[in-house]
Amino acid sequence: MRSTILSAIFLCYGLILTAQSLPRTQVHCFDLEKFGDQITLKNPRYLTSFNQYGYNNQPAWINNNELYLSVMTRIDTFQTDIYSLSFLNNTLTRITATPESEYSPTLMPDRKHFSCVRVDANRSATQRLWAYPIDRTDAGYEILPLHQSIGYHFWLTEKKLALFIVNGTTNYLKLVNTDDQSAVQLTQGIGRSFGKLPDGRLAFIQKATKETWYIRALDPITNNMTTIISCLPNSADFVLMPDGTFLMGNQGKLFAYKFGDTPVEWREIANLTSLGISNIRRMAINRDLDRIAIVSDVRY
């Protein structure tokens, strides 16, 4: 399904979602400017008026001008599909239309496919990792048939994945080699955000207690871990820029910390509350570092 977005996709208000169990979330996009440690957000655009009161989440840039989202609309009240927003030709495209739910679209290292978590259609809630071609030439394939209960994932290299494994009351981190599907299970109580530091280490969130969370670094070769910085209160999502700058939201404000800087503390870079943005969740920055997509709660 493809439709013309035009200016209305950023301005109009329409759908009302009912019978929704997932959080109602919206997505904004900003032009991003970074000069040294100075970060500025400009030209705000509201992207999800096509599904204003629905679930619009887990943004991922497939290229500099195309953003993928996990979307649940009023029509599909029991599943999510992947949608594409193109900034180049101003179109909205439904990428998947399967009986299964797809979450967490992620550009794969070959840049020809995207990976995502797929929930089995038999409602067993078995969560597996799948790959789909960006050009939509086939129906995709399962990446890790020996692994399930995958909540989130991150490509460290072309052959190594970090997985957030759902395990009852807790969650744990697992590193998997895609060649032979060998795996090592690591620390528990992790969060859903991942990133890659300039030195190649994996950045992730670990929850020491219900109130105390940290961003930590994992060496994927030695499995040694170190703590980088405490998370902002009740904030479970970050995005990591190539120079080691972390961005994290807290309510309607955006904060930054550059890995290695002292003092080790967050600094406020933007207050977005005047735009109706509250409780900032996931974020994604494109490859050229000139656009950022921000997910936040819908204000009722």
Side-chain angles (χ1 to χ4, degrees), residues 64-82:
N64 285 316
N65 298 299
E66 187 174 8
L67 183 71
Y68 277 17
L69 298 173
S70 296
V71 173
M72 180 183 284
T73 68
R74 184 175 63 176
I75 297 172
D76 292 323
T77 54
F78 296 102
Q79 71 179 63
T80 60
D81 286 300
I82 306 301

Side-chain angles (χ1 to χ4, degrees), residues 42-295:
K42 296 181 177 180
N43 190 22
R45 282 156 288 178
Y46 175 42
L47 301 184
T48 48
S49 59
F50 70 94
N51 190 35
Q52 185 192 4
Y53 293 105
Y55 177 80
N56 311 282
N57 216 323
Q58 301 172 333
W61 293 95
I62 296 303
N63 55 55
N64 285 316
N65 298 299
E66 187 174 8
L67 183 71
Y68 277 17
L69 298 173
S70 296
V71 173
M72 180 183 284
T73 68
R74 184 175 63 176
I75 297 172
D76 292 323
T77 54
F78 296 102
Q79 71 179 63
T80 60
D81 286 300
I82 306 301
Y83 280 67
S84 163
L85 293 169
S86 172
F87 289 74
L88 190 62
N89 54 25
N90 240 19
T91 54
L92 169 68
T93 304
R94 183 175 179 175
I95 302 298
T96 63
T98 65
E100 297 82 13
S101 286
E102 289 90 13
Y103 295 91
S104 303
T106 303
L107 180 65
M108 293 177 62
D110 67 3
R111 302 196 176 277
K112 297 179 181 179
H113 295 79
F114 72 92
S115 51
C116 65
V117 173
R118 193 169 97 164
V119 182
D120 286 353
N122 60 11
R123 301 191 183 278
S124 66
T126 300
Q127 298 174 197
R128 304 179 185 275
L129 195 64
W130 274 69
Y132 294 100
I134 293 173
D135 62 10
R136 304 169 73 185
T137 53
D138 61 54
Y141 62 91
E142 189 173 356
I143 300 173
L144 300 173
L146 299 183
H147 299 270
Q148 59 186 34
S149 301
I150 299 169
Y152 307 95
H153 68 289
F154 181 80
W155 291 92
L156 272 167
T157 68
E158 291 186 358
K159 297 181 179 181
K160 181 170 281 191
L161 276 159
L163 302 179
F164 172 112
I165 300 297
V166 180
N167 184 29
T169 58
T170 187
N171 308 299
Y172 64 85
L173 174 63
K174 182 161 69 173
L175 298 184
V176 179
N177 186 300
T178 58
D179 274 348
D180 58 7
Q181 297 197 60
S182 60
V184 55
Q185 180 176 326
L186 298 170
T187 188
Q188 294 185 342
I190 68 166
R192 62 196 178 199
S193 287
F194 295 114
K196 190 175 181 179
L197 289 161
D199 61 10
R201 288 187 294 168
L202 174 72
F204 67 98
I205 288 178
Q206 184 156 35
K207 302 179 180 183
T209 68
K210 186 176 180 180
E211 294 82 20
T212 306
W213 305 349
Y214 299 97
I215 297 179
R216 306 200 72 198
L218 167 73
D219 186 323
I221 298 176
T222 65
N223 295 333
N224 290 332
M225 298 179 227
T226 58
T227 299
I228 296 175
I229 190 172
S230 297
C231 295
L232 294 164
N234 300 313
S235 295
D237 298 288
F238 67 80
V239 65
L240 179 56
M241 303 180 79
D243 69 347
T245 298
F246 290 88
L247 300 183
M248 177 172 272
N250 187 250
Q251 298 182 13
K253 296 180 179 180
L254 195 61
F255 295 79
Y257 169 70
K258 186 174 181 181
F259 176 62
D261 280 359
T262 54
V264 181
E265 62 185 22
W266 296 98
R267 55 187 177 86
E268 183 181 330
I269 60 170
N271 187 337
L272 308 177
T273 54
S274 64
L275 298 173
I277 293 176
S278 62
N279 193 21
I280 293 173
R281 294 176 180 264
R282 294 174 177 87
M283 295 167 282
I285 299 174
N286 68 352
R287 188 175 178 84
D288 278 355
L289 309 180
D290 60 3
R291 286 193 180 116
I292 181 171
I294 295 177
V295 179

Side-chain angles (χ1 to χ4, degrees), residues 16-26 51-57 281 295-300:
I16 298 177
L17 192 68
T18 59
Q20 174 67 277
S21 59
L22 294 172
R24 296 179 176 183
T25 45
Q26 59 189 353
N51 190 35
Q52 185 192 4
Y53 293 105
Y55 177 80
N56 311 282
N57 216 323
R281 294 176 180 264
V295 179
S296 66
D297 287 349
V298 171
R299 285 186 175 180
Y300 294 91

